[in-house]
Amino acid sequence: MFFYSLSSPSVTNGCFGVIYQSIYQVCYQYQLLYMSEKFFNVITNMLKERQLSISSISRELKSEGYDQHRLIITGYLRALYDTGYLVEQEIPPSKVYSYNHRGQETDIYRILENSLKDVDPGYRYPVAVYILTSLLNRPCFRYELSLVGITPKTSSYVRESRNERIKEFREDISRFDVPEGDKAYEMNGHDAGVILHSSDVINGIMKNLLDLTGLKSRYQQSTLEYDQ
């Protein structure tokens, strides 16, 4: 849990400063624990193409039906800044916030889109479905496939999902809105080729995300040799 301490002498000095910081910290923790993801989406979408001050953000939130105290909003913005979602800048007399596009480059869909570019085109679609359904433990929607640059097409490896919980799966996704009636897809059995290509993709992602300095061999080897 993060804590944000106010540093202005005019605020932090004396009894009032102690009380103010205590209230601020309580509010700050409240945002991290209880604010809904819909609220998160409203703020991040608001800041994706522009910079706004806290006052401007408060006004726009109020128009969206979120009439929160300024302390609540300030603490929540700071939390989003601390966790890398927002960029914070001092433009006197205010702080302004904008969406941290560069910081979100590790979004799973963006990572997978970049990794799929090296996959054999004949396997790209089923590999995308295999990885997404394995990671998310549910069928993947057409909209999600579009996020990784894939358009569903006829494939012997993939079928349209008829899972009776499709509506529930759609409603459980709170990070974005899946269009009503959007089709979902799942694997049509297990194919060694799809699994092999998927393993290569996941292996490549792991190598890119993890710091393996001091662990990898300096010598290139295409296959591992085992004692019989």
Side-chain angles (χ1 to χ4, degrees), residues 9 11 15 17 30-31 41 66 71 73 106 109 124 144 153 164-165 176 191 211:
V11 174
C15 181
Y30 171 82
Q31 354 302 328
N41 289 334
Y66 294 95
L71 269 178
I73 295 171
T106 54
Y109 299 102
R124 204 169 291 160
E144 292 178 288
K153 56 186 178 182
E164 61 185 16
R165 297 176 60 198
F176 47 75
D191 178 80
D211 182 3

Side-chain angles (χ1 to χ4, degrees), residues 179-206:
E180 190 67 31
D182 205 34
K183 292 181 179 180
Y185 302 89
E186 60 191 13
M187 296 305 296
N188 187 23
H190 299 282
D191 178 80
V194 173
I195 294 174
L196 180 61
H197 281 82
S198 299
S199 298
D200 288 342
V201 170
I202 294 171
N203 188 39
I205 291 173
M206 293 284 285

Side-chain angles (χ1 to χ4, degrees), residues 35-43 61 66 68 73 76:
M35 284 295 191
S36 72
E37 262 193 270
K38 291 291 185 183
F39 185 80
F40 167 84
N41 289 334
V42 169
I43 286 189
L61 284 173
Y66 294 95
Q68 299 288 344
I73 295 171
Y76 191 69

Side-chain angles (χ1 to χ4, degrees), residues 7-219:
S7 58
S8 171
S10 62
V11 174
T12 56
N13 286 343
C15 181
F16 177 76
V18 173
I19 295 172
Y20 190 92
Q21 287 187 61
S22 298
I23 294 173
Y24 196 100
Q25 290 177 2
V26 170
C27 291
Y28 186 84
Q29 294 176 70
Y30 171 82
Q31 354 302 328
L32 292 176
L33 292 173
Y34 298 109
M35 284 295 191
S36 72
E37 262 193 270
K38 291 291 185 183
F39 185 80
F40 167 84
N41 289 334
V42 169
I43 286 189
T44 52
N45 288 334
M46 181 190 305
L47 298 172
K48 280 185 176 176
E49 304 299 332
R50 52 193 175 147
Q51 290 181 324
L52 292 174
S53 66
I54 296 172
S55 296
S56 297
I57 293 170
S58 297
R59 284 194 297 271
E60 292 210 18
L61 284 173
K62 193 169 184 177
S63 71
E64 294 279 349
Y66 294 95
D67 191 8
Q68 299 288 344
H69 191 281
R70 184 184 172 94
L71 269 178
I72 297 289
I73 295 171
T74 300
Y76 191 69
L77 291 171
R78 181 67 191 195
L80 291 182
Y81 164 71
D82 284 343
T83 50
Y85 286 100
L86 299 182
V87 175
E88 179 186 85
Q89 284 183 280
E90 287 274 3
I91 301 182
S94 304
K95 278 188 176 136
V96 296
Y97 291 89
S98 58
Y99 188 71
N100 185 9
H101 290 278
R102 180 171 293 182
Q104 302 314 307
E105 289 176 356
T106 54
D107 175 271
I108 180 59
Y109 299 102
R110 190 172 303 183
I111 290 174
L112 188 53
E113 179 183 18
N114 290 332
S115 301
L116 287 171
K117 292 175 182 177
D118 297 327
V119 175
D120 183 315
Y123 279 99
R124 204 169 291 160
Y125 168 44
V127 165
V129 173
Y130 180 83
I131 292 177
L132 285 174
T133 54
S134 298
L135 285 175
L136 304 176
N137 198 30
R138 60 166 173 77
C140 62
F141 290 92
R142 177 186 289 268
Y143 179 75
E144 292 178 288
L145 289 170
S146 73
L147 294 179
V148 299
I150 297 294
T151 301
K153 56 186 178 182
T154 302
S155 170
S156 60
Y157 306 119
V158 178
R159 66 189 178 203
E160 182 180 339
S161 178
R162 301 296 182 186
N163 193 303
E164 61 185 16
R165 297 176 60 198
I166 288 296
K167 183 179 179 181
E168 177 188 332
F169 292 142
R170 181 184 290 106
E171 292 173 348
D172 283 343
I173 299 173
S174 57
R175 192 172 296 184
F176 47 75
D177 293 323
V178 176
E180 190 67 31
D182 205 34
K183 292 181 179 180
Y185 302 89
E186 60 191 13
M187 296 305 296
N188 187 23
H190 299 282
D191 178 80
V194 173
I195 294 174
L196 180 61
H197 281 82
S198 299
S199 298
D200 288 342
V201 170
I202 294 171
N203 188 39
I205 291 173
M206 293 284 285
K207 285 182 177 179
N208 287 332
L209 292 181
L210 300 178
D211 182 3
L212 301 179
T213 304
L215 299 174
K216 291 193 302 183
S217 171
R218 291 174 296 167
Y219 306 100

